[in-house]
Amino acid sequence: DQQVKQNSPSLSVQEGRISILNCDYTNSMFDYFLWYKKYPAEGPTFLISISSIKDKNEDGRFTVFLNKSAKHLSLHIVPSQPGDSAVYFCAGYGNNRLAFGKGNQVVVIP
Amino acid sequence: NAGVTQTPKFQVLKTGQSMTLQCAQDMNHNSMYWYRQDPGMGLRLIYYSASEGTTDKGEVPNGYNVSRLNKREFSLRLESAAPSQTSVYFCASSQDRVQTPLHFGNGTRLTVT
């Protein structure tokens, strides 16, 4: 049962443009969401999080938006840079469990 | 500034062999985790330890055992490896179980033939 879904497994974007990654969840008990970034042969690294009491959280070039009624969140990267090329995982936390999506591959073209 | 250290980085086992994956963190975190990552499957929790002295099953615990040796170290043991356990294994730690980000090690790539 996939509680966190990331469709569109890969995304290519021109350097300087916006990257938008989407994530849908099914568990209404989730109250905290995170995005992780992963380079090949490395572990995931924490990028940004959002609590369910907020609908937006911003950290530099990264912004996460949460729409609780739609059970949907998105990650915006503006402007995209070549170093942003990685796999991005969305995760939801609730009921003492953290569930990860399958990941989105982002390629930023210089 | 090591963070979470996993050993070994790579391992090849024959079916039926046993091995222990080691993990240590130097951030004084209370909680530690073992995940596996398979193609198209995302990260799945095998076992976790919410605090020193406790361990609990995650989503996919069958075929594995864990030991929280002390606050720093959390090991994962495969008693009798099977090809289905071919995967990349990640250890992680966090300050607490609730709403704190996980810090991951760089993974162990395990192949079982």
Side-chain angles (χ1 to χ4, degrees):
Chain A
D1 179 24
Q2 191 78 20
Q3 297 187 58
V4 177
K5 298 179 183 178
Q6 294 180 255
N7 297 320
S8 305
S10 65
L11 170 71
S12 290
V13 63
Q14 207 70 35
E15 180 179 2
R17 306 293 292 268
I18 184 171
S19 295
I20 299 176
L21 302 173
N22 293 302
C23 179
D24 296 296
Y25 62 96
T26 57
N27 190 334
S28 57
M29 298 300 291
F30 284 165
D31 57 7
Y32 183 63
F33 302 89
L34 309 95
W35 284 93
Y36 285 84
K37 174 179 179 179
K38 185 183 180 303
Y39 293 121
E42 294 184 12
T45 55
F46 170 68
L47 195 55
I48 192 169
S49 63
I50 187 166
S51 166
S52 60
I53 62 173
K54 294 185 174 182
D55 55 15
K56 177 182 173 181
N57 189 26
E58 193 171 351
D59 184 359
R61 297 185 296 113
F62 302 92
T63 302
V64 57
F65 297 92
L66 175 62
N67 182 334
K68 281 184 295 182
S69 61
K71 293 193 176 69
H72 177 85
L73 62 156
S74 62
L75 175 68
H76 292 208
I77 307 173
V78 185
S80 300
Q81 297 175 354
D84 296 330
S85 296
V87 175
Y88 291 79
F89 290 97
C90 171
Y93 183 87
N95 258 3
N96 206 32
R97 282 282 188 261
L98 182 66
F100 284 87
K102 295 181 180 181
N104 289 124
Q105 173 75 56
V106 172
V107 175
V108 180
I109 304 162
Chain B
N1 198 23
V4 179
T5 303
Q6 291 183 236
T7 56
K9 287 185 169 42
F10 301 94
Q11 183 72 48
V12 179
L13 292 177
K14 294 189 188 309
T15 297
Q17 286 185 317
S18 62
M19 79 160 296
T20 300
L21 280 64
Q22 307 287 354
C23 174
Q25 52 94 6
D26 62 3
M27 295 172 283
N28 201 35
H29 284 169
N30 292 311
S31 302
M32 297 186 74
Y33 314 79
W34 278 104
Y35 283 87
R36 60 179 287 175
Q37 186 191 12
D38 301 293
M41 297 294 290
L43 290 154
R44 293 184 293 169
L45 182 64
I46 305 170
Y47 269 94
Y48 69 96
S49 170
S51 61
E52 188 179 355
T54 69
T55 60
D56 285 287
K57 294 178 181 179
E59 302 168 63
V60 289
N62 291 345
Y64 306 95
N65 283 301
V66 289
S67 295
R68 183 76 182 266
L69 304 168
N70 47 55
K71 191 170 186 179
R72 289 187 65 247
E73 298 172 287
F74 189 38
S75 62
L76 178 72
R77 182 157 179 86
L78 288 70
E79 289 292 349
S80 178
S84 61
Q85 293 179 305
T86 293
S87 188
V88 181
Y89 291 86
F90 290 101
C91 177
S93 69
S94 64
Q95 185 57 49
D96 295 292
R97 269 294 279 168
V98 181
Q99 295 195 1
T100 57
L102 272 61
H103 298 258
F104 286 85
N106 282 334
T108 295
R109 184 173 291 277
L110 175 67
T111 302
V112 183
T113 61

